[in-house]
Amino acid sequence: MNLPEDFKTKYQRLLGDDATDFFASFDTPSLSGYRTNPAHHDLPDQLTAAPTVPYEPLGHFGTVGGRTLMHQSGAVYSQEPSAMFVGATAAPKPGETILDLCAAPGGKTTHLASYLQGTGLLVTNEINRKRVKVLAENVERFGVREAVILNESPDRLSPIFPDFFDKVLVDAPCSGEGMFRKDPAAMDYWSLDYVEECAARQREIMTEALKMVKPGGQLIYSTCTFAPEEDEQMMAWVLKNYPEFHLVPITKVGGVIDARPDWADGNPELKKAARLFPHLMQGEGHFVAKLERDAGDAQTPRGTAKLGTPLTGDQRKLWQDFAQTVVGGSDWANLVTVKDQLFAVPAGLPNLKKLHVFRPGLHLGTFKKNRFEPAYALALASDPRQVAQTLAITDQQWRAWVHGETFTLTTAPKKGWYLLVCAGQPVGFGKVVGTTVKNFFPKGLRFTVYDDDVSAAN
């Protein structure tokens, strides 16, 4: 790989004798990985039997194609193995309040959701309007129930969420040096000046992010760069300017090593952070640190969530009829409408009226004239074992379904909505009329499945 000269000079100086192996790693293949979704069951053996990532039991080395049943249903999420170390370090407990501040495309958000197990509150934010759409699609596909998706800047979030979160994840925008092997295009915009620009932006982000950690809470900071300016030196800056925070030791396995105090101010506390080098472990370059705030009194956020409009009597009846008949009852609370769209909003939110809320919660469906049409997101968040009306479909029927086609059944079941299930996985809602299953797979997500897509999977 034709690495930038300034990059080679810098890391020859920093790494010394280790530089040869470090540079050689850029000419070795990049590894792929995926995580299984703990909310899904009956996964095929070839997925669960693949080699496990050392620090994440849900993570495996291997690939899963985007045009496969397991990917479309949200049973798996493709993620680079080193990136899994971030979520595994955060490891939120069920019921906690979590913020993923720089969340797109959604790999770390969905990982955090796996730990929350459908409980607590997950606020996931992305400042870029185009990227927040990708984030929403991935959160939806993974069947995350407890997420609110925001499209905001950190300085607009901190006044709304002072001292609020049990854990804040800052996967900071960075110079991307750790991704050179996987994405050589990242070298096109790299320079020594760009590293300094990224560090300045990270300090701005951290200034706001630290305000949102509750007393006794934690902030997990990560980058995908080797640059000390963005890693050890960033943590040294936090420790100097925010004495109420201290570093917590991170468990290091699978070739993960201590961070380098000698690359910052020499404070031995910096060794508690972690570095992931591609010549020492199976994955790309990352830096991860865990900061903890001292215990104390927290501010009380003012107001309560004001999102959407309460349901009318007719809307509530339409939803309840659908829920009882199809879903099998409803444990959904905090139901609101945004125009004609129905959402289940997680509990415990402050007033978000001043923020741009991209998704206020799980999308349940749409109210149309005298009827309710369930959402794709609700289907992927449903457990087929608990749904009242399911319809098992074949692989060929699934291929027709994701292509946007109707298909015909050999016998006619009761008319109405069904959760379509293929190989034990929820894939969407279909409406049965006679022997025909009408297609409601979202038009923007439709695709054609080829035999090569299936045979090459994993």
Side-chain angles (χ1 to χ4, degrees):
M1 179 173 287
N2 189 21
L3 296 166
E5 287 301 319
D6 284 343
F7 178 85
K8 290 191 290 186
T9 300
K10 177 179 181 178
Y11 287 99
Q12 181 68 63
R13 173 176 56 84
L14 288 172
L15 289 169
D17 293 341
D18 288 336
T20 299
D21 290 341
F22 172 69
F23 292 135
S25 70
F26 289 91
D27 293 320
T28 60
S30 178
L31 293 175
S32 298
Y34 61 87
R35 287 180 290 103
T36 56
N37 188 336
H40 283 239
H41 306 273
D42 302 320
L43 301 184
D45 290 343
Q46 68 263 31
L47 287 179
T48 57
T52 304
V53 174
Y55 36 79
E56 177 48 68
L58 296 173
H60 298 270
F61 293 103
T63 59
V64 177
R67 296 182 177 186
T68 59
L69 168 65
M70 292 299 141
H71 184 273
Q72 179 267 315
S73 65
V76 297
Y77 191 101
S78 294
Q79 188 177 34
E80 192 276 314
S82 286
M84 298 181 197
F85 189 76
V86 181
T89 299
K93 298 180 178 65
E96 287 189 328
T97 56
I98 309 297
L99 169 63
D100 188 356
L101 185 58
C102 314
K108 295 175 179 68
T109 285
T110 56
H111 197 179
L112 297 172
S114 292
Y115 280 90
L116 288 173
Q117 300 175 22
T119 68
L121 171 65
L122 177 55
V123 177
T124 181
N125 177 72
E126 172 55 45
I127 191 172
N128 184 285
R129 178 71 180 186
K130 291 182 179 179
R131 284 169 58 82
V132 79
K133 294 180 180 179
V134 177
L135 170 63
E137 288 179 0
N138 283 321
V139 168
E140 177 181 85
R141 185 175 60 81
F142 207 70
V144 180
R145 292 187 172 206
E146 68 278 11
V148 174
I149 303 175
L150 304 180
N151 178 212
E152 277 295 354
S153 59
D155 63 297
R156 284 176 53 82
L157 293 178
S158 59
I160 306 299
F161 295 103
D163 303 341
F164 188 86
F165 293 100
D166 293 301
K167 288 188 173 74
V168 173
L169 173 59
V170 178
D171 185 38
C174 69
S175 57
E177 295 173 355
M179 294 293 112
F180 284 179
R181 180 172 67 172
K182 182 180 178 182
D183 181 18
M187 291 186 290
D188 295 342
Y189 53 81
W190 182 91
S191 69
L192 295 175
D193 287 342
Y194 183 57
V195 170
E196 294 292 348
E197 291 172 15
C198 289
R201 182 170 62 221
Q202 289 154 6
R203 286 190 289 271
E204 293 175 358
I205 292 171
M206 287 293 283
T207 297
E208 304 304 327
L210 291 164
K211 298 174 184 176
M212 294 185 274
V213 181
K214 71 190 324 182
Q218 296 179 339
L219 185 147
I220 292 81
Y221 176 83
S222 67
T223 71
C224 57
T225 186
F226 306 112
E229 298 90 335
E230 304 174 67
D231 296 341
E232 285 91 349
Q233 291 173 29
M234 189 61 56
M235 291 302 98
W237 175 81
V238 171
L239 296 177
K240 178 181 178 180
N241 291 280
Y242 298 88
E244 69 274 26
F245 284 88
H246 59 275
L247 283 168
V248 177
I250 294 174
T251 301
K252 303 172 179 81
V253 296
V256 179
I257 64 170
D258 293 346
R260 298 283 298 266
D262 56 315
W263 288 2
D265 61 0
N267 185 346
E269 288 291 295
L270 295 175
K271 293 180 68 176
K272 294 177 179 178
R275 274 197 171 271
L276 289 76
F277 281 109
H279 66 293
L280 299 177
M281 48 84 65
Q282 292 181 291
E284 306 308 308
H286 271 76
F287 174 88
V288 185
K290 183 187 288 188
L291 293 157
E292 186 169 277
R293 184 177 175 184
D294 297 338
D297 296 328
Q299 296 186 42
T300 302
R302 297 180 180 179
T304 56
K306 293 182 180 178
L307 295 169
T309 305
L311 278 64
T312 66
D314 289 343
Q315 288 174 332
R316 188 167 296 279
K317 185 177 186 307
L318 285 171
W319 161 249
Q320 289 177 342
D321 288 347
F322 170 84
Q324 292 169 4
T325 302
V326 181
V327 181
S330 173
D331 57 355
W332 305 103
N334 303 321
L335 300 180
V336 301
T337 58
V338 178
K339 297 183 179 179
D340 57 355
Q341 306 300 310
L342 177 64
F343 292 90
V345 178
L349 284 165
N351 189 347
L352 304 184
K353 186 176 181 180
K354 294 182 179 180
L355 302 180
H356 182 205
V357 180
F358 195 80
R359 290 281 189 280
L362 178 64
H363 187 202
L364 300 179
T366 306
F367 289 109
K368 299 195 174 181
K369 188 175 181 180
N370 298 322
R371 61 189 175 91
F372 175 77
E373 186 174 296
Y376 180 57
L378 174 59
L380 298 187
S382 298
D383 184 344
R385 302 173 305 171
Q386 300 174 1
V387 173
Q389 289 192 175
T390 62
L391 181 64
I393 64 174
T394 66
D395 178 72
Q396 288 301 317
Q397 289 170 332
W398 171 77
R399 294 187 186 204
W401 169 256
V402 296
H403 192 250
E405 304 169 21
T406 61
F407 57 86
T408 302
L409 306 173
T410 54
T411 58
K414 181 175 66 174
K415 179 182 178 181
W417 290 100
Y418 288 80
L419 176 66
L420 304 183
V421 181
C422 185
Q425 310 307 316
V427 299
F429 283 110
K431 192 169 187 179
V432 174
V433 179
T435 58
T436 300
V437 179
K438 292 188 174 181
N439 196 300
F440 287 84
F441 191 73
K443 291 182 179 179
L445 300 179
R446 294 175 181 178
F447 59 93
T448 301
V449 181
Y450 301 99
D451 290 339
D452 288 347
D453 296 323
V454 178
S455 61
N458 197 37

